Amino acid sequence: MWRRIGVDGSVGAARAAAGLFLLAGVLAVLGVAQPHSRGRDLLVVAVADFCIAAAAWWTPWQRLHPRATVALALAGLLVLAFSTWAFGGTAAGTGPFFVLLFAWVGLHHPAWIAYALSPLTAAYIAPLVATRQPPEIVGSAVVFVPVVTAVAVLIAGWVRQWRRAQDEVAAAERWRASLMLTLAHDVRSPLTAVQGALELLDEDADLPPERRARLTAAALRQVARIARLASGLLDVGRVEDGRLKLDLRPVPVRAAVADAVLLTPQADAVVDVEPGLTVVADPDRLEQMLVNLIGNAMRHGAAPICVSASASGGTTTIAVRDHGPGVPRDAVSALFSRYGGGAAPHSVGLGLWIVRELARAHGGDLTYEPAHPGACFVITLPVRP
C-alpha cells in the first residue's frame, strides 16, 4: 500500500511541477518581447524552466524513491536564485513563483520537507543582498521567506488530514461492500438448514418424536444464529453511539465456551475450563465474543483451537488460541481497527474490533499474544461489575 501510494504521489507531484515550470518558462519567453527587458537573462531562465519541466514529465519517477521529486524543488530554487539576482526580486518577478514552489512542496510532500528546504530560501535573500537592493526590499524578503515556509507547512497539514479522511472513507466503503457481498453467505447457510428441517417436518407426518425434536432444535439453533448475526450488526451502531446496554449476571464460563463451540460450525476446539468458574457478564455478548474469536481462529489459524480460562484476583481471563501461522508483525497494529481485524473473505466477521469493544463495555479488554505457533487472543473480564 505504501509503495503504491508513493508511486502515484511521485508521478502526480512531477506532473504538477512540470506544469508549474512550463508556465514559468512561457512567461519568461513572453517577457523577452517586453521593452527594456533583459532578453538574454530571460532566455536563460526560460530554457532552464523548460528543461526542468521536461525532466519532471519524462523521468520514470515510479522507479525512484517516493521523495525523489524534491530534487525538482532544489532545481527550482536555483532558477529562482538566478532570476532574483538578475531582476532584483520585485513582487512582479520571482516572489510569486517562490510562493507557488513552496505551495507545490506542501501539496505533494510532508511538512518536514518544507522545514528541510527552509534554509535554502536564502536563494531568495542572498541575491538581493548581492545586488545591493535597498534595505526595505531585503527586510521584506526576510519576513517573506518564513511566511512562505509556513504556507507550505499549513498546506501539508491540510493535505495530510484530507488524505486521512479519504483513507477512512475508503476503508468504510470497502467494509460496507464486503458486508453486502458476504451477508448473503452468512444468512443463506442457516436459512437453508431451517428450510430443510421445516420441509422434512411438513412432508413426513410420521416422524418419531425424537427425530422431530432434533429437527426442531436444529432449526431453532439456526434461527438463533441469524438473530445473533443481526444483533451483532446492530451492536456496531450501539457501541459507536454509546447506547450498548448489558444484562449482567453470573455466567458459567465452561458452559458459555461449550455453547460457542457448538455454534461455530466444524470447530475443532479443545476446552480447558474448570467447571465451577463463573464470570459476571451479559451472556449473549459473552457468547458473541467467543463465537467471533473461535470463528476467527478457524478461518485464519489451524487446529487444534484451544479455549482456556482462569481467574486471578478480581479478573477472569479467557484465551482462544490456534496453531496456525500467527499474525504477521506488520498486521498487529491493525488487528483491532474498525474496518479490519479478522474479517474473513467469506464472513461478515464484524472483526476483533467489536469483540474488544464488547469486552471494554464489560470493564475488561481484548489483547493479542503471539503463541509460537499460532495466535492467542485473551479476553479479560472483571469477576464483579
Side-chain angles (χ1 to χ4, degrees):
M1 176 63 71
W2 174 87
R3 182 61 183 168
R4 182 182 62 80
I5 293 174
V7 169
D8 293 345
S10 296
V11 174
R15 296 291 187 264
L20 177 61
F21 284 106
L22 181 63
L23 173 64
V26 170
L27 292 176
V29 171
L30 294 176
V32 174
Q34 299 299 319
H36 310 295
S37 66
R38 300 177 61 173
R40 182 177 298 177
D41 292 334
L42 283 171
L43 284 177
V44 171
V45 171
V47 170
D49 286 335
F50 289 143
C51 289
I52 297 173
W57 188 269
W58 295 110
T59 299
W61 300 103
Q62 63 273 16
R63 301 179 184 176
L64 304 178
H65 190 277
R67 302 302 175 201
T69 52
V70 175
L72 298 173
L74 299 176
L77 287 172
L78 288 175
V79 175
L80 286 171
F82 173 78
S83 301
T84 304
W85 172 81
F87 305 105
T90 61
T94 56
F97 287 98
F98 232 98
V99 175
L100 289 174
L101 182 62
F102 269 77
W104 172 83
V105 170
L107 281 171
H108 299 284
H109 297 87
W112 68 267
I113 296 288
Y115 285 121
L117 291 175
S118 59
L120 300 181
T121 53
Y124 185 66
I125 299 175
L128 298 178
V129 176
T131 55
R132 298 181 181 180
Q133 297 299 315
E136 57 270 18
I137 293 180
V138 176
S140 65
V142 171
V143 175
F144 173 73
V145 163
V147 171
V148 169
T149 303
V151 167
V153 171
L154 288 173
I155 292 175
W158 281 108
V159 170
R160 184 178 65 252
Q161 293 181 15
W162 175 73
R163 287 177 177 170
R164 185 179 302 163
Q166 266 199 328
D167 291 341
E168 291 176 356
V169 170
E173 289 303 319
R174 286 195 302 271
W175 185 82
R176 289 191 177 112
S178 176
L179 181 65
M180 296 301 295
L181 290 173
T182 58
L183 185 58
H185 180 276
D186 279 2
V187 174
R188 184 172 57 245
S189 179
L191 279 180
T192 301
V194 171
Q195 181 181 3
L198 292 177
E199 288 177 350
L200 188 56
L201 289 171
D202 181 60
E203 294 172 357
D204 193 346
D206 298 327
L207 280 175
E210 298 82 3
R211 173 67 169 162
R212 185 179 297 273
R214 285 197 300 271
L215 286 172
T216 303
L220 290 174
R221 283 197 302 270
Q222 298 302 327
V223 170
R225 180 180 169 187
I226 297 173
R228 282 191 302 273
L229 174 61
S231 178
L233 292 172
L234 292 173
D235 280 345
V236 175
R238 295 190 184 111
V239 167
E240 290 181 329
D241 298 339
R243 296 182 291 104
L244 183 66
K245 295 182 179 180
L246 301 176
D247 180 18
L248 299 177
R249 64 182 77 170
V251 179
V253 178
R254 184 180 179 88
V257 172
D259 289 343
V261 172
L262 288 175
L263 292 169
T264 309
Q266 301 176 351
D268 181 11
V270 177
V271 179
D272 181 18
V273 182
E274 295 180 4
L277 184 62
T278 61
V279 64
V280 176
D282 184 313
D284 292 335
R285 301 294 183 261
L286 179 59
E287 179 184 278
Q288 183 180 349
M289 288 188 281
L290 292 171
V291 168
N292 265 277
L293 291 182
I294 295 171
N296 187 70
M298 288 174 55
R299 291 186 293 266
H300 300 288
I305 298 166
C306 302
V307 185
S308 60
S310 62
S312 177
T315 302
T316 298
T317 62
I318 305 173
V320 179
R321 178 197 172 177
D322 65 74
H323 288 73
V327 179
R329 288 186 179 181
D330 58 353
V332 171
S333 61
L335 274 176
F336 304 108
S337 64
R338 170 65 178 80
Y339 302 110
H346 301 294
S347 173
V348 173
L350 293 174
L352 300 172
W353 175 84
I354 189 65
V355 179
R356 186 183 64 174
E357 294 304 314
L358 289 175
R360 288 180 174 179
H362 283 79
D365 206 351
L366 173 69
T367 56
Y368 164 74
E369 300 175 359
H372 305 297
C376 182
F377 291 92
V378 180
I379 302 173
T380 58
L381 298 174
V383 173
R384 290 184 174 84

